Amino acid sequence: MTARLSKNRKKRGHVSAGHGRVGKHRKHPSGRGNAGGQHHHRILFDKYHPGYFGKCGMRYFHRTQQKFHCPVVNVDKLWSLFPVGTREAFAGKKEAPILDITQHGFSKVLGKGQLPEQAIIVKAKLFSKDAEDKIKAAGGVCELVA
């Protein structure tokens, strides 16, 4: 920023530049940053950040993500995983198309959205309760695979 635009230009010629004569403008009178959270700034931390200090729960050493890898797909996207024309081909027939979502890189089926009233056989590692209910309500089957 150029010197002529800085706020300090207005204070030139005034002795204490807006910081008062008595209190004086010192560098960091109450400490830098989060200093004093358990001491002189305790009221602020307790009021606005309760639970900031201390421990909670159990420690988990060397937590790697592959154990928790579980890509999900919702029931409203299931039919989009089939090739084009599959739904029309199976409309009005007794047999239902089989969809193994593990082949598409998913592990779990979740229950968001609606399914059309057409039977579908879904194979997955995991199903949520809502997803299972919706697939069965449409006349389909949920199969668990390892």
Side-chain angles (χ1 to χ4, degrees), residues 40-90:
H40 55 283
H41 290 155
R42 168 163 273 182
I43 288 172
L44 179 136
F45 271 79
D46 288 349
K47 185 175 181 182
Y48 297 109
H49 309 285
Y52 180 81
F53 297 106
K55 300 175 183 174
C56 182
M58 249 181 349
R59 296 178 72 184
Y60 191 143
F61 298 108
H62 194 66
R63 182 175 194 226
T64 53
Q65 291 304 308
Q66 67 262 33
K67 188 174 186 178
F68 306 98
H69 180 73
C70 185
V72 296
V73 63
N74 282 302
V75 287
D76 58 357
K77 295 277 184 275
L78 287 179
W79 279 102
S80 67
L81 299 175
F82 281 112
V84 179
T86 307
R87 193 165 157 205
E88 291 77 27
F90 281 90

Side-chain angles (χ1 to χ4, degrees), residues 70-74 101 106-110 124-128:
C70 185
V72 296
V73 63
N74 282 302
I101 65 159
F106 298 107
S107 299
K108 185 171 185 175
V109 182
L110 300 180
K125 291 181 181 176
L126 298 162
F127 291 91
S128 72

